[in-house]
Amino acid sequence: QPAPTNTSMPTVTATLYPPVTVDKIVVSSKFMNGMKQNVSVYLPGEYAGNPNKRYKVLYAFDGQSLPLIALEQYLNALFSSNQVEPIIMVGIETLDDDLRQEKLGTGPTLNVFGWGTLSDVFNKYVINELLPKIDSTYRTQANAQGRGIMGWSLGGLTSFYLAWEYPDRFGEVGSFS
């Protein structure tokens, strides 16, 4: 008897575009005393073939979890079926032992558990270091209409906070908490 197959994960057999590629970069932060942040940049397959096109960017907290939800396969399926326009997705990794709960939050205000001691400097890193790095390295639409931010749990809280505080940087927000 054949083994059961997972039918919930999309498969791509033929696409209009080459598959999504992932750049792994490290961005050091002067706001966090030189701490290095891992970032995954998901580029649409058409990116290399369209040197004059600028892309919208979606920033996502907990970027270390994106491979677990098969993000590349979903993006391939969505782009190739024209359900979603090709975008750049930036996965911001926030899993540093116990630092996740300290980095993610509402800036200078600690949450009810006393978490978020690093969120003010982490948020400054996102706004003042990560966004400019992505905009200078990739062909982005470097304005609020071309940027979104999302996250879940503490990442959802941080996404909402950053979109609220910086409406000139983020035109869309997805907050799942």
Side-chain angles (χ1 to χ4, degrees):
Q1 182 172 355
T5 59
N6 181 355
T7 58
S8 64
M9 186 179 299
T11 58
V12 179
T13 53
T15 65
L16 298 174
Y17 306 112
V20 169
T21 59
V22 183
D23 284 355
K24 302 277 188 180
I25 64 172
V26 177
V27 181
S28 296
S29 173
K30 68 179 180 184
F31 289 102
M32 295 187 296
N33 297 321
M35 182 181 284
K36 295 178 193 259
Q37 287 294 137
N38 294 323
V39 178
S40 298
V41 181
Y42 294 78
L43 297 170
E46 67 167 40
Y47 184 84
N50 287 310
N52 297 321
K53 183 175 179 181
R54 297 213 163 262
Y55 292 84
K56 291 182 178 182
V57 182
L58 178 59
Y59 291 85
F61 288 108
D62 292 311
Q64 72 280 353
S65 298
L66 297 177
L68 300 174
I69 61 169
L71 182 67
E72 285 178 67
Q73 290 88 347
Y74 281 105
L75 290 176
N76 282 329
L78 291 168
F79 296 161
S80 67
S81 64
N82 292 317
Q83 292 180 59
V84 173
E85 72 177 280
I87 63 168
I88 295 172
M89 193 151 179
V90 177
I92 307 166
E93 294 188 20
T94 50
L95 188 61
D96 297 304
D97 300 321
D98 295 326
L99 292 182
R100 179 183 182 277
Q101 67 190 28
E102 299 305 330
K103 287 180 181 177
L104 297 178
T106 56
T109 306
L110 302 182
N111 72 16
V112 69
F113 302 112
W115 300 345
T117 58
L118 297 174
S119 66
D120 193 39
V121 293
F122 183 74
N123 292 339
K124 287 177 181 173
Y125 151 76
V126 170
I127 297 300
N128 298 303
E129 294 173 325
L130 181 61
L131 267 63
K133 173 69 173 173
I134 297 299
D135 289 339
S136 68
T137 305
Y138 301 97
R139 295 186 315 276
T140 65
Q141 294 179 19
N143 55 46
Q145 295 76 30
R147 282 194 205 106
I149 191 164
M150 64 166 278
W152 44 87
S153 191
L154 287 172
L157 174 66
T158 305
S159 297
F160 182 85
Y161 174 79
L162 286 174
W164 182 270
E165 288 294 311
Y166 299 96
D168 60 322
R169 306 287 171 88
F170 301 105
E172 297 192 36
V173 61
S175 179
F176 311 96
S177 190

